[in-house]
Amino acid sequence: MNADAPPPASAVDNRRRWRALSVGLVAAFMTLLDVSIVNVALPSMDRALGASPSDLQWVLSGYALTFGLVLVSAGRFGDMRGRRTAFVLGIAVFTLASALAGVADSPEWLIAARLFQGAAAGVVNPQVNGMIQELFRGPERARPFGLLGATIGISTAVGPLLGGLLIAVGGDEHGWRWVFFVNVPVGIVAVVLGWRLIPDRPAGPRDDRRLDPVGVLLLGVGVLLVLLPLVQEQTWRGPAKWLLVPAGLLVLACFGAWERWYARRQDPLFDLRLFGFRSYALGSLIALVYFGGFTAIFFIFTLYLQNGLGYSALVAGLAITPFALGSAAASALGGRIVNRYGRPLVATGLLAVVIGLVAVVVVLDRAPSGAPVPWLTAAPLLVAGLGSGLVIAPNQTLTLSEVPVRQAGSGAGMLQTGQRIGSAAGIAAVGSLFFSSVASSGGDYSLAFRHSLLLAAGVIALALVAALVDVTLGRRHADPA
């Protein structure tokens, strides 16, 4: 056999799709990292720019708000016009917005840059899910979805650590700017490689579907009304803000009615018939509820360690590392075995997360005064991280398993929209309990953290119930009787 002979076409195609996926995973990591990395930089931004508490809240939550607003429409655009165009455009805007955030000289400038950052991230992420649906088929999707799940889990957990490192290196005055500048070289490389490696559009006839502007408007307004009071829960005082939630749900109901009507004439923005698949309906519910508890953990843990115990941003980030390591290891495994074990694997992971979080509460409750909290919580957080790795990636694989490739982007976008709403609701509820407990206990951060962590564990237990329902229904359908 000639050693210089070119590899078979199938081998070339296989290498190309994995290279394309690698670019997508790097971009997903970068955009999701910016959800959590800013947490530890807020005190530095406050001192450097003279930002008010409301400004800082918008720096943190404005990103999540615009992220969630564009996911479904961006996914639909990728379905129609090809992943490469949407991906490269999203990364280019994200890179530019990161550079603008890094040179901000006022809170208003920084907030505007963060809003553009979030919108660009919302354009990028559905393309990565859609890319997996298009480039891989059937059971072979498990591994790439496993890698994507690991990316989601690690980026969320490692954000505070990387932020702490950058602030330690760059100094308290300018270190927060490097939290944004670090995206610039990575983004430039991702734009170049994305244009070269990501396929322009799937093979076959041109997709002549329309974007459904009325559906885009109704979904955007509905998600905005639901998310706004959640992400501004600590800034907007008084109960009137909560009236926006039922108003948003009413608009989303109008969106559903419009999509059913529109589907009889054209392909809708989002095909509601996807919820007719049990895997998609229950998987989306599990993702929404799990992210409600999962994301809030890092928010309150960082506050507890820095504001309550006086640890540095770097130590606070290191304390979360066991969770990130456990999540990375289990995600790689979960992606390989999800096709064998199915939803019971997700239920097992959820149970491990609940056990790990409850163990953190028990350990802290029995710890002597002055004990090193990062060391005490390392083992239970590792257990929770291992469980999380068996949740995010396998659940994503199972949820999108029956979604047609033609609807991969919009289906993944709706799944991620649920995750963003769950994250915002979880941070609002768990964070509210944390702050109210601190106030009512006279500044006892340890007590507040234990109470709010139990609430987060309870939210995740609800996701476990949904997973068990899916397991039970699956066994009934599998029973020939």
Side-chain angles (χ1 to χ4, degrees), residues 395-466:
N395 184 66
Q396 193 156 248
T397 302
L398 296 168
T399 303
L400 298 176
S401 60
E402 297 180 282
V403 174
V405 172
R406 181 178 170 85
Q407 298 165 323
S410 57
M414 186 62 77
L415 174 64
Q416 290 191 320
T417 300
Q419 292 174 357
R420 295 303 108 209
I421 293 175
S423 296
I427 289 176
V430 176
S432 179
L433 176 61
F434 180 85
F435 290 120
S436 63
S437 296
V438 169
S440 62
S441 64
D444 189 342
Y445 276 83
S446 181
L447 180 66
F449 176 67
R450 295 200 301 272
H451 286 174
S452 52
L453 192 61
L454 284 176
L455 176 58
V459 172
I460 294 172
L462 294 177
L464 174 60
V465 171

Side-chain angles (χ1 to χ4, degrees), residues 251-397:
V251 174
L252 290 176
C254 294
F255 166 75
W258 166 263
E259 292 299 280
R260 283 193 293 271
W261 178 85
Y262 192 80
R264 294 195 290 268
R265 293 156 178 80
Q266 297 280 345
D267 285 326
L269 173 66
F270 175 77
D271 193 341
L272 295 174
R273 289 175 295 183
L274 290 180
F275 288 116
F277 297 118
R278 191 183 80 247
S279 60
Y280 189 83
L282 281 174
S284 298
L285 177 62
I286 291 169
L288 184 150
V289 178
Y290 179 69
F291 271 76
F294 162 71
T295 312
I297 297 168
F298 311 109
F299 176 62
I300 59 174
F301 197 32
T302 300
L303 289 173
Y304 169 50
L305 292 174
Q306 289 188 264
N307 296 357
L309 301 181
Y311 286 104
S312 68
L314 179 56
V315 174
L318 286 169
I320 302 172
T321 303
F323 190 103
L325 294 175
S327 179
S331 293
L333 175 64
R336 289 199 296 267
I337 64 177
V338 61
N339 290 318
R340 183 187 309 172
Y341 296 105
R343 195 70 75 186
L345 181 67
V346 177
T348 302
L350 289 166
L351 180 60
V353 176
V354 173
I355 291 173
L357 297 183
V358 172
V360 170
V361 174
V362 172
V363 166
L364 292 179
D365 188 50
R366 297 182 179 180
S369 178
V373 169
W375 285 107
L376 292 177
T377 58
L381 282 178
L382 177 62
V383 172
L386 290 168
S388 184
L390 298 179
V391 174
I392 297 176
N395 184 66
Q396 193 156 248
T397 302

